Amino acid sequence: EAQVTQNPRYLITVTGKKLTVTCSQNMNHEYMSWYRQDPGLGLRQIYYSMNVEVTDKGDVPEGYKVSRKEKRNFPLILESPSPNQTSLYFCASSFDREGSYEQYFGPGTRLTVT
Amino acid sequence: GIQVEQSPPDLILQEGANSTLRCNFSDSVNNLQWFHQNPWGQLINLFYIPSGTKQNGRLSATTVATERYSLLYISSSQTTDSGVYFCATPNQGGKLIFGQGTELSVKP
C-alpha cells in the first residue's frame, strides 16, 4: 500500500530534550516536506527536499533541522524543543507530475513540549 | 503569491443533506487538491483535480480552471463526513498553499 508513515504519532516531552520525528514514504517520490499546523495559523511549511541531499527552508524553519540521506526518509529534528513548538506536524511527499505536485500526507504527529 | 479562499467557513448539516463547498484561487493553477481533516487530525486526500470533474462515491469535485474555482459536492452526508475540508494548490517550489478550510458538522 502506497503511504507516508510518521513516528511517533503522539509525543509529550520537556523543554530542551532533543527529539526526532521520522517520516518515510514507499512511493519513490523525489519531493518531501514538513508542515506544522496551529490553530488560527493554518498549515505552514517548515522544510522541504527536492531530492536526496537537497533540502531547503520553508516558511518557519527556526528551531528545526532535517536531513535527506535516502530518498524514502526525511526526519525532522528538534535539537532543543521549546513550548512554542507544540503543534501538529505533518510530513508530505509528492512527485512532479508535469510541473505539478500531487501531495500525500502522513497521519500526523501531535507534539507537546512542556 | 497565490491566494486561496474557501467558503463557507462553517457548515452544519442534518444527516442525509447535500452540500457544496467552494474554493476560489487568485491565479491560474496546474494542480488543485481537496483534503478532509478528520476529527483525529488526519489529512485524507480526496481529489487531485486540476480541471474537470471527478467522482468518488458520495463525493465529487469540479474545477473550472479558467474561472479560478473548484467545488466539492457532498451528497447524502453522514456523521463521518464531519471535519475540516481544505483545498490547496502548490506554488512553483512545490509548497502547498492551503485555504482556511470549511468546518463541517453533520448532526444525526
Side-chain angles (χ1 to χ4, degrees), chain B residues 15-27:
Chain B
E15 198 168 29
N18 303 327
S19 63
T20 301
L21 281 58
R22 187 176 180 102
C23 174
N24 292 331
F25 32 93
S26 60
D27 204 347

Side-chain angles (χ1 to χ4, degrees), chain B:
Chain B
I2 192 166
Q3 305 290 320
V4 180
E5 294 183 357
Q6 292 184 242
S7 60
D10 304 283
L11 188 57
I12 300 174
L13 297 176
Q14 206 64 38
E15 198 168 29
N18 303 327
S19 63
T20 301
L21 281 58
R22 187 176 180 102
C23 174
N24 292 331
F25 32 93
S26 60
D27 204 347
S28 59
V29 300
N30 57 8
N31 175 10
L32 195 289
Q33 289 185 253
W34 282 97
F35 298 92
H36 174 217
Q37 187 166 34
N38 63 25
W40 296 270
Q42 294 178 312
L43 272 172
I44 311 298
N45 280 39
L46 295 178
F47 294 101
Y48 168 84
I49 185 161
S51 63
T53 297
K54 289 185 178 179
Q55 180 149 12
N56 185 1
R58 296 180 295 102
L59 273 59
S60 65
T62 296
T63 296
V64 184
T66 53
E67 297 188 23
R68 301 179 184 173
Y69 73 88
S70 183
L71 302 174
L72 178 69
Y73 306 95
I74 304 174
S75 64
S76 303
S77 58
Q78 301 176 356
T79 56
T80 53
D81 295 331
S82 295
V84 184
Y85 290 80
F86 292 101
C87 63
T89 185
N91 65 9
Q92 286 187 331
K95 178 179 74 174
L96 274 180
I97 310 300
F98 285 84
Q100 289 303 304
T102 292
E103 185 164 5
L104 174 65
S105 178
V106 181
K107 304 296 186 184

Side-chain angles (χ1 to χ4, degrees), chain A residues 47-72:
Chain A
Y47 268 96
Y48 65 97
S49 169
M50 300 294 278
N51 214 323
V52 175
E53 302 291 1
V54 181
T55 63
D56 210 343
K57 297 177 181 179
D59 298 320
V60 287
E62 295 78 20
Y64 304 95
K65 287 175 57 178
V66 293
S67 68
R68 188 88 181 275
K69 297 177 182 175
E70 306 167 279
K71 198 172 189 179
R72 63 183 293 128

Side-chain angles (χ1 to χ4, degrees), chain A residues 35-112:
Chain A
Y35 294 82
R36 61 178 287 176
Q37 185 180 27
D38 302 288
L41 297 175
L43 285 101
R44 295 177 291 170
Q45 192 183 56
I46 304 170
Y47 268 96
Y48 65 97
S49 169
M50 300 294 278
N51 214 323
V52 175
E53 302 291 1
V54 181
T55 63
D56 210 343
K57 297 177 181 179
D59 298 320
V60 287
E62 295 78 20
Y64 304 95
K65 287 175 57 178
V66 293
S67 68
R68 188 88 181 275
K69 297 177 182 175
E70 306 167 279
K71 198 172 189 179
R72 63 183 293 128
N73 296 324
F74 190 44
L76 179 70
I77 302 158
L78 285 72
E79 294 271 4
S80 183
S82 62
N84 64 13
Q85 292 178 298
T86 293
S87 188
L88 177 58
Y89 291 87
F90 290 100
C91 179
S93 75
S94 67
F95 63 97
D96 186 352
R97 182 198 283 217
E98 298 176 341
S100 178
Y101 297 86
E102 181 178 2
Q103 302 213 16
Y104 297 81
F105 282 81
T109 295
R110 284 196 184 275
L111 172 65
T112 301

